[in-house]
Amino acid sequence: MTSANGGQARSAPLVGRDGEPTIFELSSPGRRAASFRSTAMPEWSAEELVPAEYLQDEPVAVAEISERDLVGHFTRLTHRQYSVDLGAYPLGSCTMKYNPKLCDDAVALTGLTDVHPAAPVALIQGWLELLVNLEEVLCRITGMHAATLQPPAGAAGELTGLLLMRAWHERHGEGARRRRVIIPDSAHGTNPASVTLGGYEVTQVPSDARGCVDVPALRERLDGDVAGIMLTNPNTLGLFEEDITEIAAAVHEVGGLLYYDGANLNAILGITRPGDMGFDIVHMNLHKTFAVPHGGGGPGAGPVAVSERLAPFLPGPRPAHDANGGYGWETPAESIGRVHSWHGNALALARAYAYIVANGSDGLHRVAEAAVLNANWLRHRLRGAYDIPYDRPSMHEFVASTAGLRKRSGLRASDVAKRLLEEGFHAPTVYFPLIVEEALMIEPTETESPQTMEALAEALITIAGESGDEARQAPRTTPVRRVDEASAARRLIPTWDASPSAGS
Amino acid sequence: MTSANGGQARSAPLVGRDGEPTIFELSSPGRRAASFRSTAMPEWSAEELVPAEYLQDEPVAVAEISERDLVGHFTRLTHRQYSVDLGAYPLGSCTMKYNPKLCDDAVALTGLTDVHPAAPVALIQGWLELLVNLEEVLCRITGMHAATLQPPAGAAGELTGLLLMRAWHERHGEGARRRRVIIPDSAHGTNPASVTLGGYEVTQVPSDARGCVDVPALRERLDGDVAGIMLTNPNTLGLFEEDITEIAAAVHEVGGLLYYDGANLNAILGITRPGDMGFDIVHMNLHKTFAVPHGGGGPGAGPVAVSERLAPFLPGPRPAHDANGGYGWETPAESIGRVHSWHGNALALARAYAYIVANGSDGLHRVAEAAVLNANWLRHRLRGAYDIPYDRPSMHEFVASTAGLRKRSGLRASDVAKRLLEEGFHAPTVYFPLIVEEALMIEPTETESPQTMEALAEALITIAGESGDEARQAPRTTPVRRVDEASAARRLIPTWDASPSAGS
Amino acid sequence: MSDFVPHTESEVAAMLAFMGLSSVDELFAAVPGALRLAGGLDIESGLSEPDVLSRFGEMAAANRATGSDLVCFAGAGAYDHDIPAVVRRLAFRSEFVTAYTPYQAEVAQGVLQALFEYQTLVCRLSGLDVANASLYDGASACVEAINLAVAATGNAVVWVSQGVHPHWREVIRTFAAGTGHDIREVPLGPDGGTAWPSEGEAGCVLIQHPNYLGCIEDLVAASAVARRAGALLTVAADPVAAGILRPPATYGADVVVGEGQPFGTPLSFGGPFLGTFACRLEHVRRLPGRLVGETVDVDGRRAYVTTLRTREQDIRREKASSNVCTNQTLIAVAYAVHLAWVGTAGLRELALRCARGTRYARESVLAIDGVETMTSAPVVREFAVRLPVPTADVVDRMAEQGFLAGVPLGEEYGANGLLVAVTEKRTRDEVDAFAAALEKAVG
Amino acid sequence: MSDFVPHTESEVAAMLAFMGLSSVDELFAAVPGALRLAGGLDIESGLSEPDVLSRFGEMAAANRATGSDLVCFAGAGAYDHDIPAVVRRLAFRSEFVTAYTPYQAEVAQGVLQALFEYQTLVCRLSGLDVANASLYDGASACVEAINLAVAATGNAVVWVSQGVHPHWREVIRTFAAGTGHDIREVPLGPDGGTAWPSEGEAGCVLIQHPNYLGCIEDLVAASAVARRAGALLTVAADPVAAGILRPPATYGADVVVGEGQPFGTPLSFGGPFLGTFACRLEHVRRLPGRLVGETVDVDGRRAYVTTLRTREQDIRREKASSNVCTNQTLIAVAYAVHLAWVGTAGLRELALRCARGTRYARESVLAIDGVETMTSAPVVREFAVRLPVPTADVVDRMAEQGFLAGVPLGEEYGANGLLVAVTEKRTRDEVDAFAAALEKAVG
Ligand SMILES: Cc1ncc(COP(=O)(O)O)c(C=O)c1O
Ligand SMILES: Cc1ncc(COP(=O)(O)O)c(C=O)c1O
């Protein structure tokens, strides 16, 4: 195979519409970028260092590419990628707010990045202080007693929380008896998946006509075998569960615990707190509410905060104040054990702390108000153009639907999504929550201006008014047009080396 | 005026083809991004600090934009900009090679960036060492005796060199008599402009049929009123001046000095040296040969190296070894004085030093060989498709022409330039040097691979083979199509606030 | 305070007016008064950018970072390798950093292709067919591997070598409380390699290679054990050692996981790190997390998209192969950039350089009176020694001398054990100085 | 060694073969043997990336950078302002960094629009009509302004205030050797402002505002002087002071130049800095350097392009308005990002904060026994004091105390003068500590 060239920019939308070769296609035998530090070490051969039977017969093919082509390649790839820094990203349930650049600088300090996780406490006082402070502000924000910062993402936080629930019940001799965890039909997919991994059965509770938990239906499902309930509040329709206090009482009555999916806290910052609502366990997605950038899918951080009675079960070791004014590690008496190789996604945690310190109580309150203001304004603005299944004051997001439009012009939620890309906006979340057909879950976030809200509204209204053909053709302006997801699954090509195989 | 929105990405070629609003259009009254350090200073009012007559009546309108929109705006602008990191940039005489990222890191150290230029020598030993070392390696590379690092760009280096020439002649009582500086008709435009600013008259010497200085014609122009000659070698046709030794002798004979325009040293690194050719003064563009990135037009660095006899005239103060093993400042006996506010473009100088240290003697030699190899290979490859006015072994670049194609298909050099953009390559330099009609001055540089060379050749050959209509339409794939330069000059709009006025 | 909310007062008023409201508070009517937080959050008010940065500067200064005044010989799953400048400059470009999971493939080809290349690299290093788009870290990759193996074999018994990182084993136990898997630890033998039980059945055999003590494991034996036990062989392999060692798949490994930190990620106080996960194609429907596949767009252009999504929780809900949603994509991109920069010949050279430094350091350290080896199996980047005095004290004393001496071994490995790592970054002078200082510290 | 040349040996051979050559050397046949460098360059051979970085680390460590252990009170044309994170993240994106001068406008709208916005900002701060796309630094901007003024008036006499930065005046004299301009320096009066001659004619009057000693100049007087002398009034104005002072154009300035470093550029040991240049529209044909203008493309879309290029050297050659080709574009973009971030209200606040700190520091310093003021005119970011002891020694002693005390004034301003700058970065505590240390240092 003669190799592709790495100096032609036609895959950059700036000048062309070609595809970008892979680093493997850009490789040429014998080419290299790497250079290594001079160490003056003895130059023993592989054979002198490792018994022959363990040695590879031939080097692993990685890539053979010049630094110039490597830079060209990945730079062009970034030109083929949408991001918050390019434009609005109203992806419901994802809180794609602007990530302040000051947080990048705050965590770029070598005093944070070049610290070994197993270094003795005397050498990591700064890190311990940071983590202790972060735990404290997160508890104050959620109204909880203590927290673990180890979970690296929301789902990991959920599972951690469920294992805390399990530890609690086992501690009280009810481990075997408590088999079920209740989840609303509007719950995020990670909730049921985590419940299963937590060793529980999922019991689904329907939503009522107002889009909230159907309390009578919930009562029917409450029983001595219920370990607890997982709720999202505001729920995934963006609605506040007004009966939360009643729900909490009912669940506690049967000895169950309340788990709060706090992936999206944006709407309640400084307004209300899960702890005050009666929740026992709360996980947070610092990569949503607290502006840790999503990185194209991660890393995030999913700390779990708990009420006082659950604190003894938290994962350890935990950063803590020590006797003589410094900091150290502490493992709770009945800890469920580690949930991360080290101390969680430390640099992501530090980013979130920088964001919280920069905003402070006043700033976070402003965040909640503007997030809710944008969402509600847009909901009003879209009335008439789209169905709004639950058309009442929402929190940080709301759900629209193309169900009606689909009947009229055949316009599907996915068509709106693709067409919106042409208008210079990322698409909302589509087909979620599952209880709304043709759902468009829209979360503008607080960092988009009223002018951007107006432009987004106009784009969405224009699309709704179109015949539907444009949308079905869309996107027409992007580097690739609609991709064939079906064939990707049918003829699975998971690596550049793979020959297509029957994926499904 | 209601303000534009900053969250719509349609100006990013990734999704759209709109224009990008200016930061002024994105401004909304009262909006801001800035926050300032808390200092606990007394909060005196402007009136308490400055007499009223000096105070402005109203704040200067700058911009009123959120950090999010500021980030969106400039990020989108970068998606509307071609660069070396996106693709090849065969811009003749500009040496658009890959700029190693390690140099970015080397000069990002706060120990270099956060140093005040007027700090006492005891606090700047590292900087002085760096500059002394850089001066030395540059002298070794050019074969000269001493250098000034102050000139911030090539043109500034030229003028500095001409003032050195003037100082030399004045020192020898010939200041009034030496009125002329000889320049080949192929010289870069900055040469004659600098000569004028140096207080000299330009005498042009023609090139001969082989593209080199016409030596007999030169001799005719040599006389006692000649202060010196400015040569570029390899010259702007990419050809080596084979008669350089003879030329040097002739100029020196009449008491003139030889100035070497070393903007592009790429071809001679480790091959030959201006000092050995008999030059007295050499300027270098570190932002070409030594990989200081061009920054969209600057900053660069244009050090000037001289032979021993001219050293006493160099600008001062100069970084130098001091008596006790450290470093200090030193001003030459008959210095022409400063040519920069401080010590030159220090961080650009440091970048170049990092590049030189990384490559070393072996690496720089490889650079020259590969640069010359790419240029000659491409010249061979384009034979037949384009005229090659001086079709003999060239150095780092060569000049092709569409003169013949223009007659056949009307294809102009500028058409090729625009059409090449569609193919994912930046255009060559066009219409320079002036002695070649419809010139395409092509400098591939050494960092582009053979595969990229092949793709560039194919693109150029394809274009030559087209009817010419595509080229006249081109570019069709870029964010904007051919811009109206004539009306830009006719109806001058130099700022966003300006109402069009007759520029010319 | 820093303010990232663009809305001016008049704009807020106009938006409210459009909704027929007079105050933002009305938007929160749904929140019962009793639940409203009186007096706002009980945290500091906001700080300006420079104030935040100086506060972080103080915290950073309260740590002792590795570097010329704290030369790092600590590893144990977090290694001090050189990271080329291209990694920051490319992987951390804002398009990668501020994108979400690639739900809209048409505007996410950048992330998707980078992940596709990452998956290919992970497969090449392991020798297996398919890799996912990343997991949280080495520990979570082990947990997911166990879940896959148990589901595939229907046997919940899991044999975990004591050579697997103690933290990873702890995480495995933590999550087993939910899945109910029967985790059985298998001790190491005197040579430092795993001493497998001669009989019994299992669903999963998990081994680390090289293991926690730095020893190359006998994968021929491990593979035979797994086959005999009816288990899937899961190897937690080091990506740097892959530069000289035979790929685990050549021994019959069914799943290969790993900690990807050595490529592209600094020590970072332990995170974000990178869980790499590869398996045989036959297990692809049980693959945890995201998978990117190649496909075409409607015009037939090559394109990339996340695929086999029906495994995932947002569709499969409680029957999903895993609950992983957000992963470590950005760290995976950094891994791909770094590894591609290192390249084919470079990877071999890198592994060799680590092995050379490790041997040189090991010989220097074992020459010290009272310092004894703990293992006899070959090592490539790390080795374990037993000190004559308590390890923690030695580490403290060494820190005063400017060395992060290594990671103290837990009691399960006996008293006074120290784990010493030597990467390509360590020079001969540094190792000589280290050995000299250690001699004093244990004397 | 680091190697950025992609060509493998076999590729080189193939390329040579295509040309009918057998060695690369043959390509250099045109270089006379006598001129061929025997034995290659007499410099070190190449180093790997980490080796280069550690060498630079050593040199950096041999400097004492400003910061918490060297609090900066030095200015004199290089100021220690806070630079927001957005500047690095945006202005230094590789598309801006690795682009050439925008010769092909269709693929250079990014740089062109950024420069257009920069030009607009420079005009707004000066109050003038047109600004170029940047010059090298404050000094070169002064030189170009003089060249323009002399050409416009036909009078080569240039009055330069002694309040103009001494280095800039030296550069002006250096280049006047070529142009033959008659540079005449005008002394400062006792208050610290320029004392203009009461008669005579000139082509250019150059004044710095606030001047080198930090004093606000009387531009009403300067403007009258210039009019009377038939000269163009050229003001070198500070962009931060523009936050509270009247724009120079309101006093009748014809050309306004400046050092743009305070916005977007760290101290950088003095470069790259930024020469800002603005003038009245009537002088646009004499404008030095590049100018970006708004226009349209063939489809009528708004676009930007460099314009009035016939002024420039590549077209006009020896008759060009200037020889400037490469300028400081990237620094200009950083200036635009920083200034836009500061914003309208922020610029005023920034200037106020500098003025407050300056007054507070000046009062604290003048309270010290033996320290005397040198000026009475109002100051906004910098002030000059006369010390009872030699300044250089004081600066050295203060460095030991953790302060960069300021910049010693040259003899032309009398003995023992010290120039002290106070930006918005300096806290009250720092100033108090500074004053306390200074009291010791002079006592
Ligand atoms: C409501 C909700 N819960 C849980 C999650 C899972 O969080 P993560 O993706 O960090 O695992 C998300 C985000 O995807 C979410 O939106
Ligand atoms: C041959 C030659 N001489 C002089 C110059 C002027 O250098 P600068 O643009 O740095 O002023 C250049 C570059 O533009 C050039 O190519």
Side-chain angles (χ1 to χ4, degrees), chain A residues 93-94 153-156 158 188 190-191 232 236 261 263-264 283 285 287-288, chain C residues 100 136 323 325-326:
Chain A
S93 199
C94 299
E158 293 172 20
H188 188 268
T190 50
N191 293 186
T232 308
T236 61
D261 179 334
N264 320 80
H283 95 260
N285 280 16
H287 44 301
K288 290 180 177 163
Chain C
Y100 199 76
Y136 307 133
N323 69 332
C325 181
T326 289

Side-chain angles (χ1 to χ4, degrees), chain B residues 93 153-155 158 188 190 261 263-264 283 285 287-288, chain D residues 100 325-326:
Chain B
S93 198
E158 294 172 21
H188 188 269
T190 49
D261 179 334
N264 320 81
H283 95 260
N285 279 17
H287 45 300
K288 292 182 173 154
Chain D
Y100 199 76
C325 179
T326 289

